[in-house]
Amino acid sequence: MTTTYAALLRGINVGGSKKVPMPELRDVLAGLGHTGIATHLQSGNAVFRSDDEDADALAAALEQALRERFGFAVDCLVRDAAYLAAVADACPFPAAELEGKQLHVTYVDRPLDPERFADLDAEAFLPEEFRLGDRCVYLYAPDGLGRSKLSVELGRPRHVKGIVATTRNWNTVAKLVELTRD
């Protein structure tokens, strides 16, 4: 059975480092045998179809192919269409009422233990808020991610050590749901 996936690449095309042109990313995905390939923006979002049902194996193969092609490591998460739609549907914040830059989802490579965040004084960061989801963190940052103090705190090693994580604003979250919809 063919499944539609999104590949979420972490930390590429930011500040002039780890340049991965989108045409070359599409070539890499095609070289791995994937079909229906499309990219969104320049920040490492690709959609593709595959008969492989192991998203972690797809991510590992993509990471290896990117390392071979570009000579540097790129962390990748691969998520299927159903997961992406479920994350959007489960958003604990009123997404329809917010600007895309105010709401973010950080996708992570494994379920998060709430204990990782037990020492975080959430009230100290209000009106910013976060909630844990299914292998993701939802972040409401009314002034945007660039001004978010809570985002900085959530990214500290004591909260994310050993975790692969990559963040997308709500506009991109919604677009990935749309692009992966069969």
Side-chain angles (χ1 to χ4, degrees):
M1 181 174 132
T2 301
T3 303
T4 303
Y5 293 97
L8 308 171
L9 284 62
R10 179 178 181 272
I12 65 161
N13 300 337
V14 179
S17 65
K18 290 192 175 183
K19 289 283 192 191
V20 177
M22 293 302 98
E24 291 187 50
L25 175 57
R26 291 190 295 270
D27 288 346
V28 168
L29 288 163
L32 291 170
H34 305 312
T35 60
I37 300 163
T39 52
H40 176 63
L41 304 175
Q42 298 296 315
S43 55
N45 304 293
V47 173
F48 64 93
R49 288 192 283 283
S50 176
D51 293 332
D52 192 331
E53 295 182 12
D54 185 343
D56 291 337
L58 290 167
L62 179 55
E63 287 175 350
Q64 179 62 33
L66 291 168
R67 186 177 302 109
E68 289 170 5
R69 175 79 172 249
F70 296 104
F72 52 79
V74 177
D75 290 328
C76 301
L77 298 175
V78 172
R79 297 291 183 256
D80 67 29
Y83 169 83
L84 294 169
V87 165
D89 291 344
C91 182
F93 300 106
E97 300 170 20
L98 300 172
E99 294 178 46
K101 70 175 186 170
Q102 295 178 306
L103 187 56
H104 296 79
V105 175
T106 299
Y107 298 95
V108 296
D109 65 340
R110 67 191 68 161
L112 291 172
D113 182 349
E115 275 300 305
R116 281 185 179 261
F117 305 95
D119 69 334
L120 193 149
D121 179 8
E123 288 191 18
F125 295 95
L126 290 173
E128 295 183 46
E129 297 181 61
F130 80 100
R131 300 283 184 283
L132 300 182
D134 175 15
R135 292 175 296 156
C136 70
V137 177
Y138 299 93
L139 173 65
Y140 168 63
D143 294 326
L145 198 61
R147 295 184 171 186
S148 172
K149 290 182 168 75
L150 181 55
S151 173
V152 171
E153 180 61 29
L154 291 170
R156 295 201 186 282
R158 70 176 171 267
H159 301 305
V160 297
K161 185 176 181 177
I163 292 174
V164 174
T166 187
T167 301
R168 300 297 186 268
N169 72 30
W170 195 256
N171 293 334
T172 299
V173 169
K175 187 65 174 180
L176 290 173
V177 169
E178 176 187 323
L179 291 171
T180 57
R181 193 174 287 134
D182 286 329

